Amino acid sequence: MLLAFRNRSTGVAFQSLCEGARTTPCLPQSHLQHPRERDCAIPTGTPGETASLLQCCRLSWLRGLPAPQQRCQRGSFWSDLVLETWDLQCERNGREHRTAEMGCQQLVVRRGQPFIITLHFSGRGYEEGVDKLAFNVETGPCPIETSGTKSHFAVTDFPEESGWSAVVQQQDGDSLSISLCSPASACIGRYSLTLETSTGYQGTSCHIGHFVLLFNAWHPEDTVFLRDEDERCEYVLSQQGLIYQGTCDYITSVPWNFGQFEDDVLSICLKLLDTNPKFLRDQNQDCSHRNDPVYIGRVMSAMINCNDEDLGVLAGRWDNHYEDGTSPMAWIGSVDILKRWKKFGCQPVKYGQCWVFAAVACTVMRCLGIPSRVVTNYSSAHDTNGNLVIDRYLNESGDLQQSKEKIWNFHCWIESWMARPDLAPGYDGWQVLDPTPQEKSEGVFCCGPAPVRAIKEGDLQLKYDIPFVFAEVNADLVYWVVKHDGSQKKSTQSSLVGKNISTKSVGRDSREDITHNYKYPEGSEKEREVFAKAEHERSSLGEDDEGLHVRIKLSEGANNGCDFNVFAAISNNTDTERVCRLMLCARTASYNGTVGPQCGMKDLLNVTLAPRAEKTVPLCILYEKYRESLTQDNLIKVVALLTEYQTGNIAVAMRDVYIQNPEIKIRVLGEPMQKRKLVAEISLVNPLTDPLNNCVFVVEGTGLTDGQRIKELEEPVQPQAEVKFRLDFVPYQAGLRKLMVDFESDKLMGVKGYRNVIIAPQPK
C-alpha cells in the first residue's frame, strides 16, 4: 500500500509502498504542514509493524531528511520519481540520423532508426522494477491509435520490431538515457512526445517536446530504402545540383540550390502537407496515409502547382510576360520560392515553368527523406488524345500551326525512389512524379507516381498516369504540310520523341543518360513488342533508303548578339536526277514548342540534285532580325521543307538552335574554411550591341551565403564592356558547396554560372 508524506525543509512529497497491507490515516491533521499531506497514509499490519513504519517516516519528516528507502519485511519506502529536466539530444541524434544540417534547435529523426533522449530526475534515480516509464507519441490534429497517428508504449528490455519502442540505454545516478524507435512504417510528420512515470499507484505525465519523423532511405524495411550509399548522399542529402536544358543537339546545364536543410524549409514542407485538400477534407485519413511515399508523392505533385486553386506553391506561365512576378528563368533555387509561399500566406509564387516545378518538388521530397532527382526529357511529347501520335501541321512556307498537341523542346519532371506494394512485384524503384500542370489525373493537376519500369514495358493499365508519360517518351511525331488548296500531304519523314533523357550523375557535375531506363532502342524487336502490348500500332514512318532527305546542321555555336549560319543538308538517294523546291524558315521559339516571329527565310524554287548526290544550302540568321523577338528560352526553330516536283513527296526537318549566353566568371579569393571570410570576384561581358540596363546579380549557395545576396548595378553595362564586383561571405558549413550566380537585365536574362568550393572544417 501507499505511504506518502512531505519533507519539511525541501517541501518535496514522498511516498512509500508496502505490499499486501491495508491503509489507515497516519498522524493527526494538526501535525500536517500542507493540505496535500492530509492524504498521507501508512500501512496497517501488526501493531509492531505499524509503529515501526510510522516512527521511521515521522523521524525523517521531522528532521527534514529524505524519505527512508529501506526494505522491510512487508514492503519498501520509495519517493516519487520526479522528472526535473530532459535533453532530446538534438545535436547527437542529428548527426546519427543525417539531419544535423537542419539545425540543432529541433529534433529531426528518420523512421525505424533509434534515437536517444536523456531524462534527469530530482531526488533519486530510476529504479527498475519499482518505477514504470511509458511514452505517448502523437501526430496530426486528431491522433488515433488505429490510424497509426498515436502510440502508447512502455520502457522494455528489448526493442519492439513492429511498433514504437523504448529501451534503457544507460543510467548514471539520477540521469537515464533511453533509446526510442519508431517502426519503419510509421507516419512521417511532426510528433508530440509525452513521458508518463509511475511508482506504485501514483503517476505523473509530462510533455517533453516535439520531434519530426522523416522517411529513412538507410533502413532496409523502409519503403524508400536505397541500397547504395553514394546514391543516398546524392538523392537525399545533396542540397545543390544541376538541371539540364537547351536542346537535344546542344545540352546545357543550370545550377540549382535545392536547400532542403535550410532554415524553415522543413516546417514549410510540413505546412504543405497540412494545406493540401485531402487534409482539409479528412484530417485523420490524410495523416494516417503519411506513412506511404506513394501517397506523399501524389499530394506533393498536386501541391507544387496552384492550378486546382488549392493554395499550391507555384503559378505557371509560358507567354514571356512576367512583369507582375519573377521570370521562371531568374530562379536559381527552391528556398526563396518556398519562403515566399509561406511569407505571403500560401499564395502562389509567380512564376514557374517545368524545371522550376520539378526542382521545388525535388526539394520537398528530399526534405521529407524520399530519394529524388530532376530528370530532363528532350523532344518531349504532350499527347492529348492518347494515340501515341503527335500530328504537327505546317503551311508551304514552313510555318507551324498552333496545336494543343506539342513537342516540348525539353521537359523536366522528377523521379522518386520507392517501393510499390500497391502493384504487382517488379515495379519498385524510380517513379515519375510531374508537378507541372499539363493534364488532370483523377480530377487534379498532378502526375504519378508512374513506375519507370512500367513505362519501359508499356504496362499502361497500372497506377498512376503511365499512358501520359509513356507518350512523352515514345510517341511518333508526324508532319503534315497544308497546301494552298487546303489539301494535306504527309511528310516522308517523321521524328521520334524521348531523346537523351538526362539527370545529374551521382557525385559528379556530369550528365547521366538514362534513356535506356525508359525505352528499348528505337526500331528494336523489343520496342515493337512493347508497342504491341500498349495496343498501339507503330506507323511505318522511318526514313527510306530511297528518296530525298533533308536535315539541318549547325557548323558552330550560336552566340547571343552574333550572326550565325545554319545549313540544310539535302541528299538524293536515287539513281535519277531530281528537281526540288527547298524552303528554309527560322523563327524565335519557346521551349514548350510555341513559335514567334520569323527571323530568317530562304526559298529556292529549283534545286537540282544529281543521282546519289548531296548539297548543302546555308541560311544566315542575323542578330538584328532575332534581337527583339528572342524569348528568354534563347531558342530559334529552323524548319526545312524539301518538295520533289515529280512525285510531290515532301521531306521535313526541324532543329531548335540554342543561342548561348555569355559566361559568368567566378573567382574565389582566400582560403576556403568554415567561419572564415571569403571573397567572390564575379564578372560578365556584355556581348550585345546595346547597353544593358537594370542589371542585377543574385548570388546564393547553401552553407555559403546564408540566403540570397543581391547586387544591383547603378550604371548600365555598355556594349562589349565587362562588369566586375566583389562579394564577401562567410561559409558556415564545411564540405563541397556550390556558389551560384544569376544575372538579369532588360536585354539579357537568365544568365547562370556557378563555382564549386570545398570548404575545410573549422579547426578545433
Side-chain angles (χ1 to χ4, degrees):
M1 303 303 293
L2 188 67
L3 174 64
F5 64 97
R6 181 172 298 275
N7 183 302
R8 278 182 171 175
S9 62
T10 63
V12 177
F14 297 97
Q15 58 192 14
S16 177
L17 184 68
C18 186
E19 300 167 358
R22 300 186 307 275
T23 62
T24 189
C26 88
L27 300 180
Q29 289 194 2
S30 60
H31 292 277
L32 300 179
Q33 303 300 307
H34 190 278
R36 284 187 58 186
E37 293 172 349
R38 296 190 178 94
D39 297 329
C40 103
I42 62 168
T44 59
T46 67
E49 288 173 343
T50 303
S52 175
L53 289 169
L54 177 57
Q55 182 182 20
C56 183
C57 172
R58 191 169 186 180
L59 284 172
S60 298
W61 176 63
L62 292 172
R63 294 172 182 173
L65 299 175
Q69 296 187 13
Q70 58 186 17
R71 187 169 298 278
C72 67
Q73 183 180 2
R74 300 292 297 267
S76 303
F77 294 96
W78 301 103
S79 62
D80 275 334
L81 189 62
V82 180
L83 181 64
E84 185 174 31
T85 61
W86 55 88
D87 186 354
L88 298 184
Q89 301 281 354
C90 296
E91 188 173 343
R92 172 185 174 178
N93 289 318
R95 289 195 307 270
E96 294 179 356
H97 286 250
R98 303 165 186 84
T99 59
E101 291 190 52
M102 290 180 171
C104 57
Q105 303 305 311
Q106 62 176 339
L107 177 60
V108 184
V109 294
R110 301 189 187 276
R111 64 183 190 175
Q113 180 177 340
F115 59 97
I116 304 295
I117 66 171
T118 303
L119 308 175
H120 301 280
F121 298 103
S122 173
R124 69 175 181 85
Y126 165 76
E127 292 285 347
E128 186 179 2
V130 175
D131 302 311
K132 293 182 180 179
L133 302 179
F135 292 92
N136 281 317
V137 290
E138 298 179 349
T139 185
C142 46
I144 303 173
E145 288 199 37
T146 54
S147 298
T149 53
K150 179 180 180 179
S151 182
H152 175 85
F153 53 100
V155 172
T156 57
D157 293 332
F158 299 100
E160 172 66 39
E161 291 293 331
S162 59
W164 287 84
S165 64
V167 178
V168 173
Q169 283 290 107
Q170 183 180 352
Q171 185 167 7
D172 183 10
D174 294 344
S175 296
L176 186 69
S177 293
I178 297 180
S179 172
L180 303 180
C181 190
S182 73
S185 59
C187 297
I188 61 106
R190 189 180 302 279
Y191 278 80
S192 170
L193 179 63
T194 302
L195 171 68
E196 294 181 356
T197 64
S198 62
T199 305
Y201 297 110
Q202 297 294 309
T204 59
S205 177
C206 180
H207 178 256
I208 61 175
H210 292 88
F211 65 93
V212 177
L213 190 67
L214 305 177
F215 290 100
N216 192 352
W218 285 262
H219 196 291
E221 299 301 317
D222 197 307
T223 47
V224 303
F225 173 64
L226 188 57
R227 189 173 302 278
D228 186 84
E229 174 63 16
D230 291 338
E231 292 184 351
R232 292 190 293 241
C233 289
E234 180 72 41
Y235 301 136
V236 180
L237 302 182
S238 178
Q239 296 193 78
Q240 53 264 317
L242 300 175
I243 299 175
Y244 292 95
Q245 298 181 355
T247 72
C248 61
D249 300 310
Y250 188 84
I251 295 174
T252 63
S253 64
V254 296
W256 194 268
N257 182 36
F258 296 110
Q260 66 268 28
F261 299 148
E262 290 276 323
D263 289 345
D264 213 24
V265 170
L266 175 58
S267 66
I268 295 172
C269 294
L270 297 177
K271 185 176 182 65
L272 259 178
L273 288 176
D274 290 345
T275 309
N276 93 83
K278 293 181 179 180
F279 175 82
L280 300 179
R281 281 196 300 267
D282 190 332
Q283 296 176 352
N284 173 55
Q285 187 178 56
D286 177 79
C287 290
S288 70
H289 286 143
R290 293 185 185 180
N291 65 331
D292 182 6
V294 175
Y295 181 81
I296 294 290
R298 197 152 175 79
V299 166
M300 284 304 176
S301 172
M303 285 300 296
I304 298 303
N305 70 74
C306 68
N307 282 48
D308 297 295
E309 299 181 358
D310 54 4
L311 302 178
V313 175
L314 278 161
R317 193 159 189 169
W318 285 266
D319 62 3
N320 294 297
H321 296 292
Y322 313 115
E323 295 78 13
D324 60 336
T326 299
S327 163
M329 276 59 72
W331 303 113
I332 52 176
S334 305
V335 179
D336 190 40
I337 294 171
L338 290 169
K339 288 187 175 181
R340 289 193 195 192
W341 176 77
K342 178 186 177 184
K343 179 180 179 181
F344 294 106
C346 305
Q347 293 302 304
V349 178
K350 301 176 181 180
Y351 287 102
Q353 291 180 2
C354 70
W355 70 92
V356 185
F357 287 107
V360 173
C362 187
T363 292
V364 173
M365 297 296 274
R366 286 185 184 182
C367 183
L368 297 178
I370 303 174
S372 299
R373 61 189 185 184
V374 178
V375 170
T376 302
N377 176 41
Y378 289 93
S379 297
S380 187
H382 184 171
D383 183 19
T384 58
N385 59 15
N387 67 351
L388 285 181
V389 177
I390 306 297
D391 295 304
R392 300 304 309 273
Y393 297 89
L394 310 90
N395 62 24
E396 291 183 288
S397 298
D399 295 332
L400 274 169
Q401 297 180 5
Q402 298 298 336
S403 167
K404 280 190 174 182
E405 292 196 325
K406 292 183 178 180
I407 300 296
W408 294 43
N409 193 60
F410 66 86
H411 180 55
C412 295
W413 55 70
I414 69 167
E415 290 177 353
S416 293
W417 182 274
M418 63 189 74
R420 291 299 302 268
D422 57 323
L423 303 179
Y427 299 102
D428 297 344
W430 290 117
Q431 315 285 320
V432 170
L433 286 162
D434 190 351
T436 300
Q438 296 182 85
E439 300 292 333
K440 287 191 174 184
S441 171
E442 297 180 340
V444 178
F445 278 103
C446 68
C447 181
V452 173
R453 173 73 184 278
I455 297 165
K456 183 173 183 176
E457 299 299 334
D459 296 329
L460 307 191
Q461 77 284 1
L462 302 177
K463 300 183 292 187
Y464 290 93
D465 309 308
I466 298 171
F468 183 78
V469 185
F470 185 87
E472 287 183 301
V473 300
N474 282 299
D476 276 323
L477 172 59
V478 180
Y479 296 117
W480 297 84
V481 178
V482 182
K483 299 190 175 183
H484 293 299
D485 60 3
S487 62
Q488 299 176 0
K489 179 72 174 180
K490 184 191 293 185
S491 165
T492 58
Q493 294 170 281
S494 74
S495 297
L496 299 172
V497 302
K499 301 177 182 178
N500 300 338
I501 304 175
S502 304
T503 191
K504 178 185 175 296
S505 297
V506 173
R508 303 191 311 277
D509 286 348
S510 58
R511 185 181 71 91
E512 180 183 355
D513 192 301
I514 57 173
T515 309
H516 60 280
N517 291 347
Y518 283 84
K519 54 201 295 189
Y520 289 97
E522 296 291 348
S524 67
E525 182 178 344
K526 188 64 179 176
E527 185 209 21
R528 289 191 294 273
E529 290 178 11
V530 168
F531 266 79
K533 183 193 294 186
E535 297 181 351
H536 288 283
E537 292 185 1
R538 177 73 123 174
S539 301
S540 56
L541 295 166
E543 293 187 6
D544 299 323
D545 289 336
E546 297 292 322
L548 298 178
H549 299 286
V550 60
R551 56 194 178 94
I552 298 168
K553 299 192 300 183
L554 187 67
S555 60
E556 56 188 21
N559 296 313
N560 205 343
C562 300
D563 304 339
F564 62 93
N565 287 317
V566 294
F567 301 88
I570 56 178
S571 58
N572 175 10
N573 293 337
T574 70
D575 293 321
T576 58
E577 183 180 83
R578 299 295 174 96
V579 180
C580 314
R581 177 185 179 183
L582 175 65
M583 175 75 69
L584 273 170
C585 178
R587 290 179 177 273
T588 55
S590 298
Y591 85 99
N592 67 343
T594 304
V595 293
Q598 189 181 101
C599 57
M601 179 72 176
K602 180 173 284 189
D603 186 3
L604 302 179
L605 296 177
N606 289 287
V607 178
T608 302
L609 283 171
R612 305 293 173 183
E614 294 184 359
K615 190 173 284 189
T616 301
V617 178
L619 172 65
C620 184
I621 300 177
L622 304 175
Y623 172 63
E624 65 179 27
K625 294 291 187 180
Y626 69 78
R627 61 190 287 187
E628 297 299 329
S629 60
L630 185 68
T631 71
Q632 296 183 27
D633 296 323
N634 282 26
L635 292 173
I636 292 179
K637 184 179 288 291
V638 182
V639 179
L641 272 68
L642 185 65
T643 305
E644 184 185 358
Y645 287 119
Q646 183 178 354
T647 63
N649 289 338
I650 302 175
V652 175
M654 288 191 189
R655 178 164 179 169
D656 291 307
V657 178
Y658 180 76
I659 309 301
Q660 300 174 49
N661 277 326
E663 177 188 8
I664 294 178
K665 294 182 179 179
I666 305 169
R667 293 177 61 208
V668 176
L669 310 176
E671 182 181 358
M673 184 172 290
Q674 189 179 8
K675 297 185 179 179
R676 178 179 293 180
K677 188 177 81 170
L678 283 176
V679 177
E681 186 179 82
I682 300 168
S683 63
L684 174 143
V685 173
N686 175 11
L688 308 183
T689 57
D690 303 299
L692 303 177
N693 300 295
N694 306 320
C695 300
V696 179
F697 286 91
V698 179
V699 184
E700 73 174 88
T702 291
L704 297 176
T705 60
D706 193 19
Q708 288 190 339
R709 305 283 293 276
I710 298 174
K711 174 67 174 180
E712 296 183 6
L713 304 186
E714 297 178 357
E715 301 293 332
V717 181
Q718 298 302 319
Q720 308 305 314
E722 181 183 46
V723 57
K724 182 183 294 185
F725 72 98
R726 290 190 172 193
L727 181 74
D728 296 344
F729 62 99
V730 179
Y732 56 93
Q733 290 177 349
L736 177 62
R737 305 289 166 181
K738 277 184 169 61
L739 188 67
M740 306 176 187
V741 182
D742 172 72
F743 175 78
E744 302 293 325
S745 69
D746 62 335
K747 296 182 178 63
L748 204 57
M749 292 152 284
V751 185
K752 303 287 192 294
Y754 75 96
R755 176 70 179 265
N756 285 333
V757 187
I758 299 176
I759 306 298
Q762 185 180 23
K764 294 183 179 179

